[in-house]
């Protein structure tokens, strides 16, 4: 196994080992600071991060605004306060070692406002901002204004080329690295394009090589590429290390740091990860962001799969095969479905799925009365956690603050479930993001007998290559 040598990133020498940022309250200052203290690049999530009361307990993010716009302002304030809190924790724990990065999602509600508020409140404590989930053209401007490096997350050379030509070429001195996130293997939201098949994963090497070739055209020969998604044992990636064809490479670990002493997730969640089997993580299309995402296939995901299966097309007038009348809602407003779909509807209603809910695509889904009430309540309680949300039809664009489409009951409130699972909520009834290699916890001897290492122990293990 080749030695894992330091790499120059963000103007300093660090281990080429990066902690991946994991959503709401799951990558925090403790895990980030411990990773940086071990000589690598720690990352905390600036997506609705936790703040704490005088006793060190997380402050519940409770919303009091009567309108979505009012609640959105509360959300932005919670996010800034939490991000500053986590930056300070990370800085204190790192002790001047490694690098501290903040991870944001460009499609989260108020992304630029949160980033600027965080960097203003934590000046000098954050070395870089990592950003994906969308095309973060203005990320470079934010980084330049605060004198820190930026790290866009892309899934293709073409995506980086678009970012570079439109915006990043003006601030090349602040580009610290480019994160290549494998859209088939990484946990959380993934950047699959419309031309890529979610069921046909591609080898990352030629894709990263194309990214490097694109970067070389822009004079970015020495800018590191950070490989994210599917990385477990570095000996499996030995041909990437010190490879002149690829140039400087670092490796990002998102799922493995979840099972560490410093990780803020519950012990039950950690032990659940240790028992996963191959195929237990699913790449699915239900996110209200519109992106595919990878998560543990538990009761939560199975209910979404079933909900989307109980779906039929309808028309407002009898047209073509849509000749069978069906009454929707308390007033039984007539719509028309195909005769064979009416038979399916009768079967679902006999099983208790008696509530028909309209989707933006002129289809009906069938759920229980309790699930229908839950969906409607979650849509009413929306606080604008995304820039655009297909589940609630929220948009942060003024003056309408709406996508102009019907809310889509085939999706879910992502803020609600991620906050719940991050704060000891039921594991089977919430979204649990994970990378597709999470099943390897069970076969890796490092975790035998349910062993949970410290971050320092994990980083030391990773550097052995095994």
């Amino acid at each position: 196994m080749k030695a894992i040598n330091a790499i120059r990133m963000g103007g300093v020498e660090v281990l080429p080992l990066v902690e991946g940022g994991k959503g709401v309250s799951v990558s925090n200052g403790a895990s980030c600071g411990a990773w940086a203290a071990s000589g690598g690049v720690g990352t905390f999530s600036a997506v609705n991060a936790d703040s704490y009361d005088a006793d060190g307990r997380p402050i519940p993010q409770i919303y009091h605004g009567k309108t979505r716009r009012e609640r959105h302002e509360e959300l932005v304030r919670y996010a800034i306060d939490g991000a500053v809190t986590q930056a300070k924790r990370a800085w204190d724990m790192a002790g001047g070692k490694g690098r501290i990065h903040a991870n944001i999602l460009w499609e989260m509600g108020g992304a630029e406002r949160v980033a600027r508020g965080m960097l203003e409140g934590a000046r000098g404590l954050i070395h870089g901002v990592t950003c994906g989930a969308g095309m973060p053209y203005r990320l470079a401007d934010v980084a330049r204004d605060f004198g820190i490096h930026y790290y866009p997350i892309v899934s293709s050379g073409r995506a980086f080329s678009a970012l570079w030509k439109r915006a990043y070429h003006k601030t090349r001195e602040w580009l610290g690295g480019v994160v290549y996130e494998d859209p088939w293997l990484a946990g959380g939201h993934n950047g699959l394009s419309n031309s890529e098949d979610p069921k046909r994963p591609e080898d990352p090497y030629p894709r990263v090589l194309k990214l490097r070739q694109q970067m070389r055209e822009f004079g970015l020969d020495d800018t590191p590429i950070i490989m994210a998604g599917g990385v477990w044992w570095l000996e499996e990636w030995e041909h990437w290390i010190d490879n002149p064809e690829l140039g400087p490479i670092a490796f990002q670990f998102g799922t493995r740091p979840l099972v560490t002493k410093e990780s803020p997730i519950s012990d039950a969640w950690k032990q659940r990860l240790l028992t996963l089997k191959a195929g237990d993580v699913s790449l699915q299309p239900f996110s209200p962001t519109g992106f595919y995402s990878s998560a543990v296939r538990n009761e939560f995901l199975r209910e979404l799969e079933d909900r989307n299966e109980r779906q039929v097309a309808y028309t407002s007038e009898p047209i073509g095969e849509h000749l069978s009348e069906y009454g929707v809602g308390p007033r039984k407003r007539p719509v028309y479905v195909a005769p064979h779909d009416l038979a399916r509807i009768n079967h679902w209603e006999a099983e208790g799925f008696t509530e028909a809910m309209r989707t933006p695509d002129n289809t009906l889904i069938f759920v229980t009365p309790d699930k229908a009430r839950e969906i409607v309540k979650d849509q009413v309680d929306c606080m604008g956690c995304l820039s655009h949300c297909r589940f609630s039809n929220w948009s942060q664009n003024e003056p309408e603050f709406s996508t102009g489409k019907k809310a889509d009951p085939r999706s879910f409130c992502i803020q609600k479930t991620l906050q719940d699972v991050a704060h000891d909520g039921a594991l089977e009834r919430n979204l649990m993001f994970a990378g597709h290699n999470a099943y390897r916890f069970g076969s890796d001897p490092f975790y035998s007998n349910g062993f949970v290492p410290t971050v320092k122990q994990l980083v030391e293990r990773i550097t052995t290559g095994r």
Side-chain angles (χ1 to χ4, degrees), residues 215-257:
M215 291 171 64
R216 284 188 172 123
E217 289 183 18
F218 303 140
L220 302 172
D221 305 60
D222 298 325
T223 301
I225 293 175
I226 302 163
M227 175 61 209
V231 183
W232 195 268
W233 295 325
L234 286 186
E235 64 184 2
E236 298 170 338
W237 300 79
E238 189 170 10
H239 60 297
W240 288 53
I241 300 170
D242 299 328
N243 183 331
E245 191 174 47
L246 294 179
I249 293 285
F251 297 94
Q252 180 168 300
F253 297 83
T255 301
R256 288 190 75 177

Side-chain angles (χ1 to χ4, degrees), residues 183-185 192-202 283-285 292 436:
W184 291 277
L185 293 177
L192 279 169
S193 71
N194 291 333
S195 63
E196 292 165 334
D197 188 340
K199 297 180 180 179
R200 292 175 179 256
E202 297 180 15
L283 181 61
Q284 43 79 25
Y292 274 83
H436 286 257

